[in-house]
Amino acid sequence: MDLAQIAVMLAAAALYLMILPARWRGWALMIGSVVAIYWLQPSLAIRWLDYALPTAILAITMLGWYFTLPQDVKPMRADIAAFTVTILIVLTLSLTRYIDVPLQLTTRPPPLETVAAALAALLLGGVLLRRFLPPKALLWLAMIGLIVLFGVVKTPALAQEAARLLRLNAGQDSTLAAGSELAWLGFSYVAFRLIQTIRDRQSGILPALSLSEYLTFIVFAPAFTAGPIARAENFTESFRALPGMTGRDAQRITVGLSRIAAGMFKKFVIADSLAAFSLSPVLAEQAQTTGSLWVMLYAYGFRLFFDFSGYTDIAIGLGILFGILLPENFDRPYLKNNITTFWQSWHKSLSDWVRFYVYSPLSRSMLRRKPKPSNYVIIFISTAATMVVIGLWHEVAIPFLIWGVWHAGGLFTHKVWSDKTRAWYRGLTAGRKRIWTAAGVLITLQFVMLGWVWFAMPTVNQALAVFAGLFGLNLGGAP
Amino acid sequence: MMPGWDWLTRAKYTGGFMLRVLLKAAILFAIINLLFALTNPIPALGMISIYNLLSPGRLRLPYGESESSYNLSLYDLNAMFASHTLNGRHNPDEAAVLVMGDSAVWGMLLENKDTLASCLDSRALSVDGRPARFYNIGYPTLSAAKDLLLLDRAMEYQPDLILWLVTLENMPRREQLATPLAQNNAAAMRDLIAAYDLDLDASDPRFVDLDFIGRTLIGQRRALADWWRLQLYAFPWAQTGIDQVIGDYTPRSNDFDEDATWYELAGAEQLDDTTLAFDVLNAGIARAGNVPVMMINEPIFVADGVNSDIRYNFWYPRWAYDRYRELMREHADAEGWTYLDLWDAVPPDEFTDSPVHLTPEGTQMLCGQIAEALP
Amino acid sequence: MTETEVREKLRQFILADLIKDPKYALTDDEGVVSGGLIDSFALAEIGVFAEQEFNVYIPDPDLTVAKMNTLNLMTARIMRDIK
């Protein structure tokens, strides 16, 4: 989010808290978020795409709600209303094609007929699928569909192909297609929230949600750009308490604004200053000494933290103002003394998600096997799968895969070490424990920082060149 | 509720609390702005610099505005010079030579190692028997007044010799204050105008005079941000030595329209001390005091294309430039200048994108000529 | 199965299979994960134990430190769904 977007959301929060009648709050959040995702989506080179992508999110989300409705539940009046309002917003925005408005949220949208036809086809298809497929199959189909879509968007080669096809479809020069043209804001997070609801429905723990609650949960504006990933039941609890919430509450406003202020300082002052000398492909190539590479690497690590945790603070602060309690993402990660607690305090909402939907189910299914594999085998496989998912969630590319494996190795090593030394550690004096803790913090910090090389460099060769430079071998810019 | 944020969430806040915080913040903000406007700390802040402390100083004054060049244009002279290597400790046994001029001296389209100052520096020359170190304080934009401004500030570093490269395009009186650097250092320029009785308008509308709001913290936010950015660029500067991204350029024109005017003047008799700012050149020499100044007429591109019989190049019709050279010679003789006329010292092939910007080879040639003439 | 039976079976499992210290005096409200006695992988093992021993399926999102840190919490969770 940039300063202008934050300012607008703050203004919206002010109106919401001071003026808006309490019973309209839920609707305001839903409508506001639906409109916001069009505004937040940056404009793209491919025609219509910056209108189509948010529309696609809305359509997929409505299908997701419909598919995760328990079989015996029918849509209620409120759901029909929410559906109608959303469709109206989508269609009205498409009218900016014909009418010049001072505030354009997207570039020129496609013709109204095209939008209506596409929506009708998608939604009708969804209704038919639910009518004719058994519920289990429907949910699995939805999940697989989301994963495939995610794969296409996040794999550079596939994204480029998709961009090429979209360009052909739009009558534009397809030779200019690049994967980066498919910059689908918020999709990674939306996809994971949707998959979460599908899995929770499959295991029976998803509460019954109205369309308005579901839709707002998936596209809630402050958390849309980069999370946090809330849990549906927690989000809904806040959402349902909105009408009873005190608007002009000094506590809420102070805490919310303080979080936002803290986040803005972290992001726009600290992180943006560190950016001047953070590791980047350009600077890495220009580096002339080993020391400078280390400075750049640590700057990158801290910049990443301040940028992301600053953004999270702003998102959570805005959430508080609107009355929605979003989960935390960070808890002093660089001060943790082992890699396991690091991962419990870095991008928590994502690592929790992966723990619930990859690590835990995978571990349990292996634990149930007869004969039961050794614990270490199970942990190794589960940890590797978990970290690979987290890595590839950022981008389906080799450097992120290696990053995931790097952390999996660290986590597994720590697990073994921890098991072997647990009893011994309990017997240490307090002083000795402090020394080990300090050593742990340094080792963990170094381990994580080195891991960021794979994050910062887009190709394996560039990353290896940086490693070589960091350890004093062969410096002087890759060709 | 929010782990790690207990200090924030544990306290109880009331409407009264919020109001008090807002009030205190507003008052504090107003006071800070007021103090800022009254004390004008920007020049003092400019003297604080990471350069020459945690990173080597820049080899030329900051200029330019692209992120990939790790450079920016700012107007605070203190900050500019504080970041320059001239501000670092130098050896009192060495003679410090300042090389002054326009973008050709600064080194447009040249890396630092190919600039005039670097070339002279690499030749192990001596001035007055002492080993000489050459400092590039050239600055793009064409104005002798701008050179005077920089010279005035640079005299604090007690140079031993000054090489001042000029060209006709620096000289038109009405263009002296056309450069943003001069416009944004109104006080210093006005002091110079008064001190040397220059024929420049102290109340020229182009001067940027900040009103009260402009002098507050809010008004000066750009200057503050620029200072901060300059410090941030110290690391990439130290690491990469990059302060200019040199790309492709359009070569200087060789063919011209049939136009023999220069700044709407058409005859040699119109070029004199009123239209050309010779008083500024003399003021510079006066400001240098005991420090010798070598005035150098820098090389220009001599074209051979269409209408090159009436124009030397895109900037200069022949009559104007010839007259200028005459005037320079007259002034040099009358005022006792040390004057070097190198207008044709560099062959036409060694010019890049303007009538004065040289290639590395061209700079070498100029460098050689100057080196021979040094005391 | 009564609550006491459930609690004792859990205690046995934790002491024997997880902490691997049958003599440890585990109290009912002691934080087993937060106290460093077991780690979060052990929660998965507890989940499978609950399935196999009590026929209670605890969904993965409920196998968190917050919800399963003490013997009391674990017992209550199982008693909620036990048939």
Side-chain angles (χ1 to χ4, degrees), chain A residues 250-251 253-255 258-259 262 266 273 276-277 282-283 286-289 292 295-296 313 316 320 325 328 331-332, chain B residues 1-5 8-15 17-18 68 70 228 232-233 235-236 238-242:
Chain A
Q251 187 79 12
I253 297 175
T254 306
V255 172
S258 303
R259 273 312 288 254
K266 281 188 200 170
S273 292
F277 47 98
V282 172
L283 267 177
Q286 294 167 343
Q288 287 163 3
T289 64
S292 72
V295 169
M296 290 197 268
D313 286 334
I316 293 178
I320 290 175
L325 190 59
E328 292 292 330
D331 182 14
R332 288 179 257 200
Chain B
M1 186 174 94
M2 296 198 301
W5 290 87
L8 178 63
T9 54
R10 239 183 296 136
K12 281 272 152 279
Y13 303 111
T14 62
F17 172 83
M18 284 180 57
S68 47
Y70 308 128
W228 181 240
L232 287 177
Y233 282 145
F235 181 84
Q239 267 326 292
T240 66
I242 292 176

Side-chain angles (χ1 to χ4, degrees), chain A residues 35-373:
Chain A
V35 173
I37 65 175
Y38 284 93
W39 165 58
L40 291 170
Q41 168 71 43
S43 52
L44 300 167
I46 301 178
R47 198 152 56 106
W48 303 339
L49 201 59
D50 71 328
Y51 173 86
L53 291 179
T55 309
I57 285 185
L58 293 172
I60 295 174
T61 304
M62 290 194 282
L63 283 177
W65 171 78
Y66 193 52
F67 289 176
T68 56
L69 267 186
Q71 273 306 97
D72 49 345
V73 173
K74 288 254 171 295
M76 317 242 290
R77 246 183 357 161
D79 302 324
I80 313 258
F83 174 78
T84 315
V85 167
T86 307
I87 296 290
L88 275 177
I89 294 176
V90 172
L91 293 177
T92 309
L93 282 173
S94 82
L95 290 179
T96 60
R97 177 189 176 85
Y98 311 104
I99 311 169
D100 242 326
V101 270
L103 206 63
Q104 293 278 14
L105 295 179
T106 68
T107 60
R108 202 154 173 265
L112 186 61
E113 321 84 72
T114 316
V115 178
L119 279 176
L122 255 167
L123 298 170
L124 191 61
V127 170
L128 290 173
L129 279 172
R130 179 174 151 106
R131 178 90 171 69
F132 292 114
L133 277 180
K136 278 201 163 80
L138 182 65
L139 289 173
W140 278 113
L141 183 65
M143 176 116 89
I144 292 172
L146 274 170
I147 295 176
V148 167
L149 183 58
F150 192 93
V152 168
V153 171
K154 289 299 215 173
T155 311
L158 294 176
Q160 181 165 350
E161 184 57 23
R164 196 182 69 84
L165 293 170
L166 286 168
R167 273 177 172 272
L168 278 174
N169 179 52
Q172 292 170 281
D173 186 353
S174 65
T175 58
L176 296 173
S180 55
E181 294 192 299
L182 230 56
W184 198 342
L185 189 76
F187 178 71
S188 317
Y189 293 89
V190 164
F192 265 33
R193 291 189 192 109
L194 288 168
I195 293 177
Q196 182 201 124
T197 61
I198 294 174
R199 280 296 300 149
D200 282 359
R201 167 60 57 220
Q202 286 175 327
S203 59
I205 63 171
L206 187 72
L209 299 173
S210 71
L211 175 58
S212 162
E213 287 161 352
Y214 189 94
L215 189 54
T216 316
F217 162 65
I218 300 283
V219 299
F220 185 50
F224 182 74
T225 306
I229 306 177
R231 288 203 52 75
E233 60 268 19
N234 296 337
F235 187 91
T236 315
E237 196 185 313
S238 298
F239 194 81
R240 288 178 183 165
L242 286 177
M245 171 186 101
T246 322
R248 303 179 192 196
D249 176 11
Q251 187 79 12
R252 166 184 318 284
I253 297 175
T254 306
V255 172
L257 287 179
S258 303
R259 273 312 288 254
I260 295 173
M264 285 176 67
F265 185 77
K266 281 188 200 170
K267 184 170 164 46
F268 296 111
V269 178
I270 302 182
D272 282 356
S273 292
L274 287 171
F277 47 98
S278 291
L279 186 65
S280 72
V282 172
L283 267 177
E285 205 182 320
Q286 294 167 343
Q288 287 163 3
T289 64
T290 300
S292 72
L293 273 176
W294 280 106
V295 169
M296 290 197 268
L297 181 64
Y298 270 71
Y300 181 88
F302 282 108
R303 185 225 174 167
L304 187 60
F305 168 70
F306 282 110
D307 192 90
F308 201 0
S309 77
Y311 160 84
T312 304
D313 286 334
I314 297 172
I316 293 178
L318 284 169
I320 290 175
L321 289 179
F322 286 117
I324 304 280
L325 190 59
L326 293 169
E328 292 292 330
N329 258 345
F330 294 93
D331 182 14
R332 288 179 257 200
Y334 286 141
L335 293 179
K336 295 294 187 268
N337 65 339
N338 62 64
I339 192 73
T340 305
T341 44
F342 171 83
W343 274 107
Q344 291 164 359
S345 51
W346 178 280
H347 205 172
K348 263 164 80 76
S349 65
L350 178 67
S351 56
D352 280 352
W353 189 101
V354 183
R355 181 150 54 90
F356 296 152
Y357 300 108
V358 177
Y359 182 85
S360 195
L362 195 56
S363 303
R364 287 167 72 168
S365 79
M366 283 193 280
L367 282 167
R368 286 184 210 117
R369 273 167 144 255
K370 303 252 185 305
K372 185 175 88 81

Side-chain angles (χ1 to χ4, degrees), chain A residues 363-437:
Chain A
S363 303
R364 287 167 72 168
S365 79
M366 283 193 280
L367 282 167
R368 286 184 210 117
R369 273 167 144 255
K370 303 252 185 305
K372 185 175 88 81
S374 105
N375 270 6
Y376 280 140
V377 169
I378 298 177
I379 293 173
F380 182 75
I381 296 177
S382 295
T383 308
T386 304
M387 295 317 297
V388 165
V389 166
I390 294 185
L392 295 182
W393 173 86
H394 290 85
E395 186 181 309
V396 179
I398 308 265
F400 288 100
L401 177 65
I402 298 179
W403 176 79
V405 170
W406 172 273
H407 276 275
L411 283 165
F412 185 71
T413 308
H414 175 254
K415 165 76 176 164
V416 173
W417 161 274
S418 174
D419 281 350
K420 302 264 181 278
T421 60
R422 187 165 293 136
W424 161 82
Y425 186 78
R426 279 214 300 274
L428 285 179
T429 63
R432 279 281 165 90
K433 278 191 183 162
R434 268 202 290 274
I435 297 178
W436 277 108
T437 305

